[in-house]
Amino acid sequence: MNRNLGATSLRRKRRSNNPMQSYDSLPEPLRHWLSQAALPWSPTSAKRLWQKACAKGLSTQEALHELSSAEARMLARDRHSPSQVYLPGSDGDLSRFQSGA
């Protein structure tokens, strides 16, 4: 059974922590990005990429762009995904992911 994942060739993983508690602890711009993401990201994976981007000194917009780029790479690897996928923020306008937007 695929549940809400749909048809994908990407590997699935079981998580042992509470995903809702992990999600609630994420920064607001990251939570908003996840709510618009094309793939079912785990809060742990998203947080790991977010922290790497922040450690590089990237702004919030640049960190969100890094996440969108990572998602685009994953979609390119998935043989079941459409060839042209709209990713939120891929047009360079990430203002809607800012706090208070």
Side-chain angles (χ1 to χ4, degrees):
M1 177 183 292
N2 289 334
R3 298 199 180 190
N4 68 340
L5 297 177
T8 181
S9 63
L10 300 175
R11 192 177 74 194
R12 295 178 183 97
K13 296 179 184 178
R14 292 250 181 226
R15 304 286 178 214
S16 61
N17 57 357
N18 182 343
M20 289 307 292
Q21 185 177 13
S22 298
Y23 180 84
D24 290 341
S25 70
L26 297 174
E28 183 180 344
L30 180 55
R31 287 194 316 264
H32 185 56
W33 183 89
L34 283 171
S35 72
Q36 303 296 315
L39 293 174
W41 286 79
S42 73
T44 304
S45 297
K47 185 177 182 181
R48 182 175 33 245
L49 286 174
W50 178 263
Q51 288 176 332
K52 280 184 182 181
C54 291
K56 291 181 194 176
L58 299 179
S59 69
T60 300
Q61 286 186 331
E62 292 167 329
L64 293 170
H65 183 70
E66 290 282 318
L67 286 159
S68 293
S69 296
E71 184 169 67
R73 288 190 302 273
M74 290 297 290
L75 286 169
R77 286 178 35 195
D78 186 2
R79 68 175 180 253
H80 294 294
S81 71
S83 59
Q84 294 292 326
V85 176
Y86 171 74
L87 294 176
S90 62
D91 58 356
D93 179 21
L94 298 173
S95 60
R96 64 181 172 274
F97 294 112
Q98 294 295 320
S99 304

